[in-house]
Amino acid sequence: MNEAAHNHEIYIPKGALIAAGALVVFALVAVAASRLTGVGQVKMTPPPVVHSVELRFEDAADGSVLVYSAADNKLIDSLAPGSSGFVRVVMRGMARERRLADVGKQPPFRLARHENGQLTLTDTANSKVIDLNAFGATNQAAFARLIDKTKDGSK
């Protein structure tokens, strides 16, 4: 190899290194302050709930998913294998989080329709809320169908 190739050292001015370090420290302090005080954070408060139902989801031996009302253990729907893919994916993800947190199947999920038509699904075990409208009209309709089947449910 050529000796000239080995003699090239990269020189970074000391001031630039100090400035970069100060920027990193400032960013960490700003993030920590925002997290601790809430300053600069945006929180979206959903509108009032007009109808909600608490549901339990169970896997059946034939591969279907059974949806029960948690209040009276009444079967609301049976989702056949290969159907309702969005509902299955969302519930599989929620069930995985429950397994990781060592939470059983007992706490129900709350499906709620808000004043503006927004649908949310809340895991009552950990208060995680999913805005179902964010996934598009077709996917939202899969859950809307479940809440529509329980119109006589309580608010």
Side-chain angles (χ1 to χ4, degrees):
M1 277 200 175
N2 187 351
E3 272 187 49
H6 290 290
N7 290 334
H8 291 292
E9 290 185 24
I10 298 174
Y11 173 74
I12 300 174
K14 189 175 184 179
L17 289 175
I18 292 171
L23 182 62
V24 169
V25 169
F26 172 77
L28 291 174
V29 168
V31 168
S34 176
R35 290 274 175 123
L36 293 173
T37 64
V39 173
Q41 294 181 3
V42 177
K43 296 186 182 193
M44 296 190 57
T45 304
V49 172
V50 293
H51 180 73
S52 70
V53 62
E54 293 194 348
L55 304 172
R56 283 187 314 97
F57 295 81
E58 290 184 11
D59 292 324
D62 66 354
S64 61
V65 175
L66 305 176
V67 185
Y68 292 95
S69 167
D72 58 8
N73 210 31
K74 177 183 170 191
L75 181 65
I76 293 172
D77 203 358
S78 176
L79 310 175
S83 70
S84 302
F86 179 66
V87 174
R88 289 171 180 272
V89 167
V90 169
M91 298 316 302
R92 194 173 297 130
M94 301 279 264
R96 180 181 180 277
E97 285 188 25
R98 282 186 169 190
R99 274 193 311 276
L100 291 174
D102 214 14
V103 175
K105 295 179 182 181
Q106 289 300 48
F109 295 92
R110 183 175 303 114
L111 182 59
R113 178 172 283 133
H114 298 268
E115 203 171 58
N116 65 350
Q118 175 183 7
L119 280 181
T120 56
L121 181 68
T122 304
D123 186 344
T124 62
N126 60 19
S127 299
K128 178 177 180 170
V129 180
I130 296 177
D131 178 1
L132 298 169
N133 292 44
F135 297 97
T138 304
N139 290 327
Q140 177 199 12
F143 277 95
R145 193 172 67 83
L146 295 176
I147 202 167
D148 289 341
K149 287 187 171 198
T150 63
K151 279 293 185 183
D152 58 299
S154 62
K155 184 174 174 183

